[in-house]
Amino acid sequence: MVNSADLRSDRDAPLFWLLILQLVWAPVPLASNRTWAVGILLLLTCALWLGAVWIFRGQWSAVWARCLQFKLPIGILLGILLVITFQTIPLPHSILTTLSPTVGETWHRVAPLGSATLSLNAAHTQLQAALCLIYASAFLFTVLLVRSARRMNTLAYALIGMALFQALLGGYLFSVEAQYELFTSEVLHDRMRGTFVYHNNTAAMLAMCLSVGIGLFLVQLEKSSPATSKRWLVHGLDFLLSRKMLLRLALVILVIALVMTRSRMGNAGFFIAMLLSLALYAVYSQKTRKVVLVLLASLIVIDIWILGQWVGLDKVVARLEATQISKAEKKELAAQAQQQASDELNFVKPRLEESVEERALPIAYARPAIADYFWFGSGAGTFYSIFPQYRPAESRGYYDHAHNDYVEILTDYGVIGASLFALLVLASFWRIIRTIQTRSHPVAKGIALGALMAMLEIVLHSTVDFNLQIPANALLITVIIALGWCASQVDKAPPSLTRVPPPAAD
């Protein structure tokens, strides 16, 4: 029987680098959050598929055997794609009313004749179907191509390099307070943004890549021989001149960039995810427990506290402290500040941080929509279309997203689609944690830790933002999850996994 050991890394290397190109490119055009930018990602995905058809010709049994090792997540992603596709299929009104009474009633008022779709905006749902195809393909090609520890390290370094580019570019634009119009969008770099429009999305990207970097740094530490008390100076000099030092400097830059975004949940979510992940890693890595604790202490003391204070951590803390619970409390503070300014003949209007209640307003308004579109949702990508009918007339502002990925997934995909997302996340958490518990391979454990940390950060950050609705960030977390699944299988196969020996001469 042909298995994944027959796949040759020297043949599919172009596909691997094309996958990396797609990941690195995705954040550049405003995080690919434009229709034409999605088209470019789709073209790169088509190139991956066409290249795979050519490169893997005659090896489909081996490809199938490799995919069967990850049949659960691949099957879930296909299920999500089928749900979105089903939302765009025209159905008779009688069937629509049975499946979703609210959708059937809406279409009966708008277009009583002919058929209609479960999606209230089929064009946008088709766009989301294209994005889902891009994400599912990225997951598939990651688990198919990343079969060795060497490629796993290469992909992790590529993600860190991408984040470094965003950090350095964003730092420069922030330092000069750049302001310009790009692709019909006004961009003001009053915070660290990089090539993103919204600073919280930048923070999520930096936190995810930083998580992978910490996992990669632990890989380097686990590969090192333990230093004795007599040779500590030699090992210290070796560290300063090694690749580990360059990686450590990269982590410092990413931490500085994350702090400079001044994202409250971006920084808080990363800090919580880092503590939980490293604590779990220390429990199941007794040999390197001291190293993990030293790394954690250095990240907290040197990166977050000392360097964070230098680049503006106090401003992030001030934003958190200034975040009021309710609008009433905020109005009272604003009135007090205005009165104090008036007494001092200074009529500058005080600027207060958005309260928790204000951030949660679209979530509260959208809650009835979950019940109205309970099973199949209103259609992927249709939140902005249905939200106006649920918000009160006196509310202000434009909301294209719910500022909560869980609420938006429930309204767009319904319970059926949301259950598939939840199943993918839970299964991935389980597989990654089991990898940390059971594997002794340093690359497998380190990359699994980075994936766990990135997933925890997104799980926390998604409670107040919409990172999963941004193509660049959604693609990034999809590949990181795929890396977590790859870590469970890396180097388990015989050495012939990556190269087939030439046939013997007659």
Side-chain angles (χ1 to χ4, degrees):
M1 177 179 176
V2 182
N3 55 36
S4 60
D6 296 320
L7 296 177
R8 296 179 55 183
S9 61
D10 56 342
R11 288 186 58 183
D12 59 22
L15 289 180
F16 178 67
W17 291 109
L18 184 58
L19 175 65
I20 290 179
L21 174 63
Q22 186 183 45
L23 287 170
V24 174
W25 165 258
V28 174
L30 300 179
S32 294
N33 196 26
R34 297 295 183 271
T35 303
W36 59 266
V38 174
I40 296 177
L41 292 181
L42 190 58
L43 286 176
L44 291 172
T45 298
C46 292
L48 281 169
W49 278 103
L50 291 175
V53 169
W54 173 255
I55 290 175
F56 291 131
R57 65 191 186 280
Q59 292 183 297
W60 295 114
S61 297
V63 171
W64 179 253
R66 176 69 178 177
C67 292
L68 285 178
Q69 296 177 343
F70 309 97
K71 56 182 177 295
L72 178 59
I74 293 175
I76 295 173
L77 288 170
L78 287 177
I80 295 173
L81 183 57
L82 288 175
V83 168
I84 301 176
T85 304
F86 183 61
Q87 290 178 333
T88 63
I89 298 176
L91 299 171
H93 282 282
S94 58
I95 298 179
L96 277 180
T97 304
T98 302
L99 296 177
S100 179
T102 305
V103 171
E105 181 182 349
T106 302
W107 281 117
H108 184 72
R109 292 197 308 265
V110 176
L113 300 178
S115 57
T117 61
L118 279 168
S119 172
L120 296 177
N121 191 331
H124 261 269
T125 304
Q126 290 169 354
L127 179 63
Q128 293 300 314
L131 282 169
C132 185
L133 176 62
I134 293 170
Y135 306 149
S137 298
F139 186 98
L140 176 62
F141 282 110
T142 300
V143 299
L144 185 60
L145 299 171
V146 184
R147 302 183 301 272
S148 65
R150 179 178 58 84
R151 282 195 175 180
M152 193 169 288
N153 283 332
T154 302
L155 182 54
Y157 275 113
L159 296 181
I160 296 170
M162 177 194 72
L164 278 175
F165 170 76
Q166 292 289 330
L168 295 175
L169 177 64
Y172 169 75
L173 294 174
F174 172 67
S175 65
V176 299
E177 298 182 354
Q179 183 176 2
Y180 50 84
E181 182 176 337
L182 184 64
F183 305 128
T184 69
S185 298
E186 290 287 342
V187 183
L188 172 63
H189 289 270
D190 55 343
R191 297 176 185 176
M192 168 71 70
R193 300 182 189 274
T195 57
F196 290 68
V197 176
Y198 190 36
H199 66 279
N200 282 308
N201 299 146
T202 310
M205 180 274 300
L206 291 170
M208 286 188 284
C209 293
L210 186 56
S211 300
V212 175
I214 292 174
L216 195 57
F217 190 70
L218 279 176
V219 171
Q220 301 295 332
L221 292 180
E222 287 211 8
K223 288 182 177 179
S224 304
S225 58
T228 61
S229 57
K230 295 181 180 180
R231 300 192 62 191
W232 65 270
L233 180 59
V234 175
H235 284 278
L237 293 174
D238 180 65
F239 174 79
L240 292 176
L241 299 175
S242 67
R243 183 185 299 179
K244 294 189 289 290
M245 186 61 187
L246 294 177
L247 180 58
R248 187 68 182 88
L249 291 175
L251 297 182
V252 169
I253 294 173
L254 294 184
V255 169
I256 291 174
L258 178 60
V259 172
M260 289 173 64
T261 63
R262 300 179 190 171
S263 170
R264 290 169 289 187
M265 185 53 78
N267 284 272
F270 169 72
F271 185 76
I272 295 171
M274 181 182 67
L275 289 179
L276 294 176
S277 302
L278 289 178
L280 178 68
Y281 191 91
V283 169
Y284 294 104
S285 303
Q286 298 181 359
K287 294 182 180 180
T288 58
R289 186 173 297 170
K290 292 182 179 179
V291 175
V292 173
L293 294 177
V294 171
L295 174 61
L296 179 61
S298 71
L299 287 169
I300 294 176
V301 176
I302 298 176
D303 295 38
I304 297 178
W305 182 249
I306 298 178
L307 294 176
Q309 291 290 339
W310 177 50
V311 297
L313 180 64
D314 55 331
K315 296 180 180 179
V316 179
V317 175
R319 288 196 72 210
L320 287 168
E321 292 176 345
T323 303
Q324 310 303 323
I325 301 299
S326 65
K327 290 193 297 182
E329 183 180 0
K330 178 180 176 180
K331 289 181 179 179
E332 182 179 353
L333 289 175
Q336 294 175 1
Q338 187 70 31
Q339 181 62 39
Q340 181 179 0
S342 179
D343 294 341
E344 297 174 359
L345 300 179
N346 181 8
F347 296 97
V348 178
K349 185 178 180 180
R351 178 181 178 182
L352 298 179
E353 293 296 339
E354 186 180 32
S355 68
V356 174
E357 183 181 348
E358 287 173 319
R359 177 60 69 90
L361 281 179
I363 303 173
Y365 296 155
R367 203 168 293 159
I370 298 175
D372 289 343
Y373 306 97
F374 187 77
W375 291 110
F376 294 95
S378 61
T382 62
F383 177 83
Y384 82 100
S385 299
I386 66 170
F387 185 67
Q389 62 182 308
Y390 292 98
R391 62 185 298 176
E394 66 273 10
S395 65
R396 297 180 179 179
Y398 171 73
Y399 293 96
D400 53 350
H401 296 292
H403 285 268
N404 183 299
D405 280 320
Y406 307 114
V407 170
E408 190 157 350
I409 288 173
L410 279 169
T411 58
D412 284 3
Y413 298 88
V415 170
I416 294 177
S419 299
L420 292 174
F421 280 100
L423 181 59
L424 177 62
V425 172
L426 293 176
S428 300
F429 270 129
W430 173 255
R431 176 59 67 91
I432 291 170
I433 292 173
R434 288 293 297 167
T435 300
I436 296 175
Q437 290 176 336
T438 58
R439 294 298 306 273
S440 58
H441 195 290
V443 176
K445 294 187 67 172
I447 296 299
L449 169 76
L452 176 64
M453 195 182 303
M455 288 184 65
L456 285 174
E457 197 283 332
I458 285 296
V459 165
L460 294 171
H461 206 161
S462 291
T463 59
V464 293
D465 272 308
F466 47 90
N467 289 298
L468 298 181
Q469 315 303 323
I470 304 301
N473 282 352
L475 180 64
L476 177 60
I477 190 60
T478 301
V479 171
I480 290 176
I481 292 174
L483 272 178
W485 282 88
C486 291
S488 65
Q489 300 294 330
V490 66
D491 288 350
K492 273 190 174 182
S496 59
L497 173 67
T498 58
R499 189 174 295 275
V500 175
D506 294 335

